[in-house]
């Protein structure tokens, strides 16, 4: 059914997609938003099939809500093979006048994915790791691994936990950036930045968690909930690489020993489990052959080497592979569909650094407020 879905969405690129009020009032983004929606849904369906999610099944449920006859025609599509995009479209709309179809449920699904996945992943939020914490990380590195694990498990989201996690990643991955090859040295301003594979912005957002389950399956959803602020979701990288990651310019593809990207929850290497064989691959988003961006020394397709620390055998060879593949899937859809460009513009619209010069109730103030509501997870409907 994924091929039928992709055929339908290709045809949908010519549809007259309705617009959300906030999009209409947000700096002329309306036509761009209309253009990306079919590509956005197609991209998420394709990525979901690779990750083992159920998004394509939900898509057909939503299509069936657009007209009673469509439910019957979808049953026929399920029984026949895929022949061509045109054939799929003819079978789906057989006996249905297009003017009587209410496509709103499909539009709403696209807007929901845009809001709760694209915006959430490209607007990381949460605390950034900069020069350090009130606790000396070097002091924590000297602690026994068991003690660090106990601190990380018992300290909630506080700075003491962050210091313990930073120390554990040094013990797992070593003292250099796996992307740039630079050795961390605070005296030379090469500082380790604690990067989250899945951004902090998904924390306490049930709609985003629901979309993650639909995209990648419930096992991956559970891993996100369990590991969002733990060792499996973290790595140390240099600032230049961190900024490029937050801006969705690269990601990590994790492959198992058979070259497959899908990982079940049973293969996740929690601290108390032995790790499966995992190969981490550097991916430019979108694909480019040159090194970079910035001072990143890797080309697309190069292996990223984690696990160079003294406790790698115990703490695992690197970050959680399922979380890496989830982030990369969303990043690809963001860039492929054009959603990244729209969100970048919304972030610019929401910049209130000149707020003292903007009058309340002025058009500029309203645009800033609208953009900030969108970035905070306001639904684009």
């Amino acid at each position: 059914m994924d091929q039928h879905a992709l055929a339908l969405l290709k045809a949908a690129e010519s549809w007259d997609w309705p617009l959300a009020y906030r999009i209409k009032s947000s700096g002329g983004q309306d036509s761009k938003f209309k253009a990306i929606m079919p590509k956005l849904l197609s991209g998420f369906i394709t990525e979901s099939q690779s990750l083992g999610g159920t998004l394509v099944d939900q898509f057909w449920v939503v299509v069936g809500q657009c007209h009673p006859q469509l439910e019957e025609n979808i049953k026929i599509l399920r029984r026949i093979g895929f022949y061509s995009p045109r054939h799929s479209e003819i079978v789906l709309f057989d006996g249905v006048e297009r003017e009587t179809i209410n496509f709103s449920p499909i539009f709403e699904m696209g807007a929901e994915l845009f809001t709760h996945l694209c915006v959430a992943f490209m607007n990381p939020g949460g605390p950034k790791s900069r020069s350090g914490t009130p606790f000396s990380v070097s002091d924590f590195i000297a602690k026994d691994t068991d003690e660090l694990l106990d601190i990380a498990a018992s300290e909630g989201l506080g700075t003491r936990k962050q210091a313990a996690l930073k120390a554990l990643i040094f013990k797992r991955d070593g003292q250099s950036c796996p992307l740039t090859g630079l050795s961390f040295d605070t005296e030379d301003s090469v500082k380790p930045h604690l990067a989250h594979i899945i951004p902090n912005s998904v924390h306490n957002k049930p709609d985003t968690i629901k979309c993650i389950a639909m995209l990648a399956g419930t096992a991956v959803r559970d891993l996100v909930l369990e590991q969002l602020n733990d060792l499996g979701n973290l790595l140390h990288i240099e600032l230049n690489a961190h900024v490029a990651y937050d801006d969705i310019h690269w990601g990590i593809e994790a492959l198992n020993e058979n070259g497959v990207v899908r990982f079940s929850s049973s293969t996740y290497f929690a601290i108390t489990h032995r790790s499966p064989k995992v190969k981490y691959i550097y991916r430019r988003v979108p694909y480019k052959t040159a090194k970079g961006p910035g001072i990143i020394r890797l080309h697309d397709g190069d292996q990223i080497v984690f696990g160079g620390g003294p406790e790698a055998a115990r703490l695992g060879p690197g970050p959680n592979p399922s979380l890496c593949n989830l982030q990369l899937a969303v990043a690809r859809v963001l860039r492929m569909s054009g959603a990244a460009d729209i969100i970048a513009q919304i972030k610019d619209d929401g910049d209130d650094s000149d707020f003292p010069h903007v009058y309340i109730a002025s058009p500029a103030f309203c645009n800033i407020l609208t953009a900030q509501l969108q970035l905070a997870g306001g639904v684009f409907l």
Side-chain angles (χ1 to χ4, degrees), residues 27-105:
Q29 296 292 322
D30 49 356
S31 60
K32 294 180 181 178
F33 190 75
K34 288 174 65 175
I36 73 164
M37 292 305 287
K39 296 182 177 67
L40 185 86
L41 286 166
S42 294
F44 274 129
I45 286 173
T46 299
E47 296 293 344
S48 181
Q49 292 297 97
S50 296
L51 294 173
T54 60
L55 196 145
V56 69
D57 297 327
Q58 182 60 31
F59 173 78
W60 286 114
V61 170
V62 169
V63 173
Q65 295 170 353
C66 298
H67 190 283
Q69 182 59 42
L70 293 182
E71 290 190 24
E72 297 303 316
N73 293 349
I74 290 170
K75 293 177 183 178
I76 297 174
L77 279 178
R78 292 187 186 280
R79 294 197 299 267
I80 64 176
F82 177 79
Y83 297 103
S84 70
R86 180 59 179 160
H87 179 261
S88 298
E89 188 178 1
I90 290 172
V91 172
L92 179 64
F93 294 120
D94 183 43
V96 182
E97 294 185 12
R98 299 293 182 95
E99 304 78 34
T100 65
I101 301 175
N102 174 19
F103 288 114
S104 295

Side-chain angles (χ1 to χ4, degrees), residues 34-313:
K34 288 174 65 175
I36 73 164
M37 292 305 287
K39 296 182 177 67
L40 185 86
L41 286 166
S42 294
F44 274 129
I45 286 173
T46 299
E47 296 293 344
S48 181
Q49 292 297 97
S50 296
L51 294 173
T54 60
L55 196 145
V56 69
D57 297 327
Q58 182 60 31
F59 173 78
W60 286 114
V61 170
V62 169
V63 173
Q65 295 170 353
C66 298
H67 190 283
Q69 182 59 42
L70 293 182
E71 290 190 24
E72 297 303 316
N73 293 349
I74 290 170
K75 293 177 183 178
I76 297 174
L77 279 178
R78 292 187 186 280
R79 294 197 299 267
I80 64 176
F82 177 79
Y83 297 103
S84 70
R86 180 59 179 160
H87 179 261
S88 298
E89 188 178 1
I90 290 172
V91 172
L92 179 64
F93 294 120
D94 183 43
V96 182
E97 294 185 12
R98 299 293 182 95
E99 304 78 34
T100 65
I101 301 175
N102 174 19
F103 288 114
S104 295
I106 303 176
F107 308 143
E108 290 170 5
M109 182 182 187
E112 181 180 35
L113 292 170
F114 181 90
T115 300
H116 299 304
L117 285 181
C118 294
V119 173
F121 274 64
M122 199 170 169
N123 187 44
K128 295 288 191 300
S129 172
R130 291 296 183 248
S131 60
T133 72
F135 302 95
S136 170
V137 176
S138 60
D139 291 342
F140 273 69
I141 292 175
K143 293 180 181 295
D144 178 80
T145 299
D146 286 328
E147 184 179 358
L148 290 171
L149 292 172
D150 288 340
I151 294 171
S154 62
E155 289 292 327
L157 300 176
T159 55
R160 194 165 182 263
K161 174 170 184 169
Q162 300 306 307
L165 288 171
K166 287 173 73 74
L168 285 168
I169 295 173
F170 280 126
K171 289 176 179 286
R172 184 189 73 188
D173 295 336
Q175 297 284 335
S176 62
C177 173
L179 278 297
T180 66
L182 297 174
S183 296
F184 294 125
D185 187 338
T186 55
E187 291 184 1
D188 290 337
S189 297
V190 183
K191 301 175 183 178
H193 289 251
L194 196 62
H196 287 68
I197 301 295
I198 304 301
N200 280 317
S201 54
V202 311
H203 181 64
N204 287 334
K205 290 189 175 178
D207 289 324
T208 296
I209 297 302
K210 181 187 76 172
C211 289
I212 288 173
M214 189 164 52
L215 175 65
T218 56
V220 174
R221 174 204 63 195
D222 293 344
L223 287 174
V224 170
L225 292 172
E226 294 167 4
Q227 293 290 316
L228 186 61
N229 197 42
D230 216 330
L231 194 62
N233 193 42
L234 300 169
L235 66 155
H236 280 154
I237 49 178
E238 181 270 339
L239 176 60
N240 178 273
H242 194 185
V243 171
Y245 186 80
D246 281 353
D247 289 340
I248 315 294
H249 288 301
W250 64 272
I252 303 170
E253 181 179 40
L255 304 174
N256 65 22
E257 56 189 325
N258 298 316
V260 178
V261 300
R262 190 181 303 179
F263 288 80
S264 68
S265 58
S266 62
T267 63
Y268 168 57
F269 52 86
I271 290 170
T272 56
H273 294 75
R274 297 188 64 183
S275 63
K277 293 182 179 180
V278 181
K279 186 176 183 180
Y280 298 96
I281 306 298
Y282 176 71
R283 294 299 182 192
R284 294 286 302 267
V285 184
Y287 171 75
K288 293 181 181 179
T289 58
K291 288 192 296 186
I295 61 173
I296 294 175
R297 61 180 174 83
L298 302 176
H299 295 81
D300 185 278
D302 286 347
Q303 185 170 357
I304 305 174
V305 179
F306 296 106
E311 292 281 9

